[in-house]
Amino acid sequence: MQADVFKLSMDHPGDVSALANLINSGQVRADQIVAFIGKTEGNGGVNDFTRGYFTDRLMTMLSGHLNEPAEGLARRLPCILSGGTEGVLSPHYLVFCRKETDAPGTGALAIGKAFSPVLEHQYVGTRDHALSVAEAVKAAIADAGIENIEDVHFVQVKAPCLTSERIAGLREKGLPLPATSAGQSMALARAAGAFGVALALGDITSEALSASLFLQDFSHFCDRASVSSGVEVEANEVIVLGNSPKWSGNLRISHRAMDDAIDLAAVQNVLGDLGLSAKSQVSASERDRIRGVLVKAEPDRSGRIHGQRHTMLNDTDIDPQRHIRGAVGGVVASVIGDTRIFVSGGAEHQGPDGGGLIAVIAENAAGTTPPEQDTGV
């Protein structure tokens, strides 16, 4: 197999023209597209309808090329979107493609995808939710043909969450209520997703997995998990990215944990893993090698960064997740030199507490072999 990744800009939340142009020109084959990850300019909250709007527009456009109903495409092509392009972040989306090839494997980028069954509302944000995610992650790893778990570098999950209407419905039926508000449900869903990824990757055992850990014990985390939650999905959507000796091509991925919101060394080190120099800002010539930058971030719950007080958690005018996306987006973009960076807030149990993780997909330099990676794990 061989993977390809396209980083495309959007002028508004329904703009899919960049991909349409690539398909019409023959640069991309619609039947080789397997997944999407992107940033829309909504608020990233429960009522962020830009995510569902973009998905609908995207699947409607693709249905014309694939002669398949848009609803069916949405159930087999993960389209995982994070709302909120605060600060310098630019709305954009990554298109993941794969094709069969006779070329020998080179340890290149491998892509896998999977969907869980529809998750009943009473299980959102629970241990059962984590188990559902774990099974979907395992299926996505198998879909990617990755045999060594250490070769998995990034697992993106989109999980459902509860709305006030769904919560009221559970109350009316006398069913268990995993959360009492939509915001709490989003956080619990992200936590369940992170523990599901951790379970699939062997970072925690099923015996140790307990819902009592969710949003409580932040010493437990997975630095390869990136989880978003939203009302636009009813099942867990999973995309697995890693490197595999079975895959050919010139793309690779690496990841690093970010200890805090201004962990510049993690950004520089992950680029170094891929043979990119980032003593200051990536040069224009090397910048073109970067196909995607994926980041999770979280305001430090201690209220301090490097010992100094921050006010993100106390601001009643701006949600803390909007603060952190803007802040971390600026840090990472200043090194990458490109503002099309996927920065998702809500990093509960996804990387060190108060920090998160960064993963980068990049081309090998012309005439070079893939560099050996020291992931720091």
Side-chain angles (χ1 to χ4, degrees):
M1 299 293 292
Q2 183 171 324
D4 208 348
V5 181
F6 298 86
K7 180 168 54 180
L8 305 178
S9 302
M10 61 174 85
D11 289 338
H12 55 79
D15 179 22
V16 296
S17 60
L19 179 56
N21 291 337
L22 288 179
I23 294 174
N24 291 333
S25 68
Q27 292 178 263
V28 170
R29 280 181 46 176
D31 61 348
Q32 293 177 348
I33 296 172
V34 293
F36 305 89
I37 297 177
K39 289 292 299 183
T40 60
E41 57 203 87
N43 59 24
V46 176
N47 66 333
D48 184 350
F49 303 111
T50 63
R51 299 173 303 209
Y53 176 49
F54 179 80
T55 301
D56 179 72
R57 291 279 294 167
L58 186 62
M59 298 305 166
T60 299
M61 183 270 289
L62 288 175
S63 68
H65 293 279
L66 296 171
N67 296 316
E68 185 176 342
E71 295 80 3
L73 290 174
R75 287 192 291 268
R76 71 173 182 84
L77 297 178
C79 184
I80 300 179
L81 303 169
S82 169
T85 50
E86 295 81 9
V88 301
L89 295 176
S90 295
H92 73 287
Y93 55 109
L94 303 179
V95 182
F96 295 90
C97 302
R98 66 186 187 190
K99 64 180 180 181
E100 294 184 1
T101 177
D102 293 329
T106 59
L109 176 69
I111 303 169
K113 63 184 178 71
F115 286 74
S116 76
V118 171
L119 189 69
E120 295 183 31
H121 294 160
Q122 67 264 33
Y123 299 123
V124 172
T126 67
R127 185 178 187 275
D128 285 330
H129 188 171
L131 294 174
S132 175
V133 169
E135 290 305 310
V137 172
K138 291 176 183 177
I141 293 172
D143 183 56
I146 296 176
E147 296 178 348
N148 185 346
I149 292 297
E150 296 304 315
D151 288 337
V152 174
H153 282 270
F154 188 80
V155 181
Q156 180 65 56
V157 178
K158 186 72 176 189
C161 71
L162 299 179
T163 61
S164 55
E165 290 80 10
R166 292 171 181 175
I167 292 170
L170 291 174
R171 283 199 178 103
E172 290 175 4
K173 297 175 182 176
L175 293 172
L177 201 63
T180 57
S181 70
Q184 181 190 29
S185 174
M186 290 185 82
L188 282 169
R190 290 191 297 263
F195 276 101
V197 176
L199 181 60
L201 298 182
D203 293 340
I204 192 172
T205 64
S206 58
E207 292 77 17
L209 177 61
S210 169
S212 63
L213 300 174
F214 297 6
L215 308 182
Q216 298 298 321
D217 187 348
F218 290 99
S219 66
H220 289 276
F221 63 84
C222 178
D223 66 5
R224 292 179 281 177
S226 172
V227 187
S228 295
S229 61
V231 299
E232 70 273 20
V233 297
E234 289 279 359
N236 301 297
E237 302 185 7
V238 176
I239 302 169
V240 164
L241 303 175
N243 301 313
S244 170
K246 293 183 176 181
W247 287 63
S248 65
N250 67 340
L251 296 181
R252 286 182 65 84
I253 184 171
S254 185
H255 79 282
R256 291 276 179 158
M258 292 186 70
D259 289 333
D260 52 54
I262 55 174
D263 188 358
L264 184 62
V267 183
Q268 293 172 324
N269 289 338
V270 75
L271 293 170
D273 292 340
L274 297 166
L276 292 158
S277 175
K279 292 182 179 179
S280 55
Q281 189 174 96
V282 175
S283 66
S285 59
E286 288 195 320
R287 192 177 306 147
D288 291 339
R289 289 172 49 197
I290 299 175
R291 297 291 189 90
V293 180
L294 304 152
V295 182
K296 284 297 288 190
E298 179 76 15
D300 196 305
R301 289 173 180 79
S302 72
R304 294 183 178 274
I305 300 175
H306 287 200
Q308 302 305 313
R309 188 169 70 94
H310 72 76
T311 63
M312 289 184 277
L313 300 174
N314 299 321
D315 191 340
T316 56
D317 295 315
I318 303 174
D319 187 273
Q321 302 303 332
R322 306 204 78 171
H323 273 291
I324 198 65
R325 288 192 296 259
V328 174
V331 171
V332 178
S334 68
V335 179
I336 301 298
D338 187 339
T339 58
R340 292 173 296 175
I341 295 172
F342 179 91
V343 180
S344 175
E348 303 92 345
H349 307 288
Q350 301 152 68
D353 189 28
L357 66 113
I358 179 170
V360 176
I361 303 166
E363 299 174 14
N364 298 320
T368 66
T369 57
E372 293 294 328
Q373 295 185 17
D374 174 12
T375 63
V377 176

